[in-house]
Amino acid sequence: MNKLSIEKRAQIIGMLVEGNSMRAITRMVGCSINTVTKLLIDVGTACAEYQDKTLRDLPCKRIQCDEIWNFCYAKEKNVPDDHKGEFGYGDVYTWTAIDADTKLILSFLVGRRDAHYAHIFMLDLESRLKNRVQLTTDGHRAYLTAVENAFGGDIDYAMLVKLYGQPESTKDQRRYSPAECTGIEKNIIYGNPDKKDISTSYVERQNLTMRMSMRRFTRLTNGFSKKIENLEHSVALHFMHYNFARIHKTLRITPAMEVGIADHAWSLEEIVGLIN
């Protein structure tokens, strides 16, 4: 890595955050796959540490949470018997929390979609907030105990449950067609949340941003993660770029600037500089 210039490292990082696969980057840049992997590990580790330290005491008011699916090593049905049930093989979920006002991703976690990881995620989210917030999640039942354990009664919490019907498509097309949303239920769990703010629209839109910006989340390709550690590094890099470097189209500044923890949009060179 010492042989690569800052400019070359920034070029590689720019390609990663724009959704290019690591193999494609090696062909375009003219370096080895090991070089790209080492850079991802170093920068991903630095980005995770920086955000863990910086995303604290945040004055957020409306938070939305969700979990996005992808897989690592192999799809769940194809995981070898000697790795069945082992984390990092098969289904993996990335938990995210977004501030509806500043669009900041203030907490994220790569793990399973179970009560254990829900508990870790909510404890981390609570530790980053400055004041009482209104929280909206989907209907995943693991949130119920996790939110209660993390916040106690000091939160205005609601679940938005979507009701689905069968997609109107032929049998051969159905596997690629999403189920049709036929309605929603807004269930107040704790406190006094404002019903007009019970929504998961922003965090669900963030799911699309993740799938467009990280090759590892693209469906029906061979660009999926082979190692869980590299998936975690990729997610940390993505959110570092999203929070601090990428100008949000609606805000016209970065989410970090909007929330007040940055005074300028970071360059790719600055992100690379975190590892120096």
Side-chain angles (χ1 to χ4, degrees):
M1 283 308 310
N2 292 332
K3 296 181 180 180
L4 283 183
S5 65
I6 291 292
E7 293 74 20
K8 184 66 73 173
R9 296 184 191 186
Q11 181 185 12
I12 294 173
I13 293 302
M15 292 179 178
L16 284 171
V17 298
E18 291 298 339
N20 289 280
S21 70
M22 296 176 70
R23 293 289 181 183
I25 293 172
T26 63
R27 293 191 295 269
M28 289 186 286
V29 176
C31 60
S32 72
I33 187 67
N34 291 337
T35 298
V36 177
T37 302
K38 179 64 164 56
L39 179 60
L40 174 63
I41 293 171
D42 291 345
V43 174
T45 301
C47 288
E49 292 175 352
Y50 182 85
Q51 290 179 98
D52 182 55
K53 178 181 66 176
T54 305
L55 301 179
R56 298 287 178 181
D57 203 29
L58 299 170
C60 304
K61 297 179 180 178
R62 299 183 298 151
I63 306 296
Q64 300 177 10
C65 294
D66 198 13
E67 328 83 52
I68 179 173
W69 170 86
N70 70 322
F71 65 93
C72 187
Y73 187 82
K75 285 192 174 180
E76 190 69 31
K77 65 180 180 179
N78 297 325
V79 174
D81 290 340
D82 56 334
H83 290 297
K84 289 285 187 182
E86 184 178 343
F87 178 58
Y89 294 84
D91 292 344
V92 178
Y93 287 82
T94 301
W95 303 70
T96 58
I98 192 171
D99 178 2
D101 299 304
T102 67
K103 309 304 183 291
L104 182 79
I105 297 295
L106 60 156
S107 181
F108 56 90
L109 175 67
V110 176
R112 292 191 173 98
R113 192 173 184 260
D114 59 20
H116 173 69
Y117 280 95
H119 181 72
I120 296 173
F121 178 60
M122 280 297 151
L123 285 175
D124 181 74
L125 175 61
E126 190 279 333
S127 71
R128 300 181 185 281
L129 297 170
K130 184 177 183 179
N131 42 249
R132 184 184 179 109
V133 299
Q134 175 166 331
L135 173 67
T136 306
T137 71
D138 60 20
H140 185 31
R141 295 186 64 83
Y143 282 117
L144 293 171
T145 302
V147 172
E148 182 179 9
N149 290 342
F151 292 91
D154 190 23
I155 192 170
D156 300 310
Y157 173 43
M159 276 185 166
L160 188 143
V161 181
K162 292 186 176 181
L163 309 175
Y164 292 97
Q166 291 295 324
E168 296 181 1
S169 61
T170 65
K171 183 176 180 180
D172 291 339
Q173 296 173 332
R174 187 169 300 166
R175 59 181 297 197
Y176 299 111
S177 302
E180 179 182 357
C181 182
T182 58
I184 60 172
E185 295 179 354
K186 295 182 178 182
N187 301 325
I188 296 176
I189 309 301
Y190 304 117
N192 187 32
D194 189 334
K195 286 192 175 182
K196 68 179 177 60
D197 291 329
I198 299 175
S199 171
T200 55
S201 297
Y202 290 123
V203 73
E204 289 174 0
R205 177 58 180 81
Q206 173 59 213
N207 288 347
L208 175 61
T209 300
M210 293 174 68
R211 292 207 183 277
M212 295 289 288
S213 301
M214 282 186 282
R215 184 67 169 173
R216 299 165 190 273
F217 283 77
T218 306
R219 297 180 184 273
L220 302 177
T221 74
N222 62 354
F224 57 89
S225 293
K226 313 308 185 292
K227 294 182 179 180
I228 190 65
E229 295 83 3
N230 290 345
L231 174 60
E232 293 170 335
H233 296 316
S234 182
V235 168
L237 171 60
H238 166 76
F239 285 126
M240 184 70 201
H241 181 260
Y242 170 84
N243 282 334
F244 290 87
R246 180 174 174 173
I247 300 296
H248 194 281
K249 186 175 181 180
T250 302
L251 302 175
R252 298 188 178 181
I253 55 177
T254 67
M257 294 171 67
E258 182 72 10
V259 82
I261 58 175
D263 58 6
H264 69 286
W266 282 45
S267 66
L268 295 174
E269 287 78 7
E270 286 178 287
I271 294 178
V272 173
L274 291 174
I275 64 178
N276 293 335

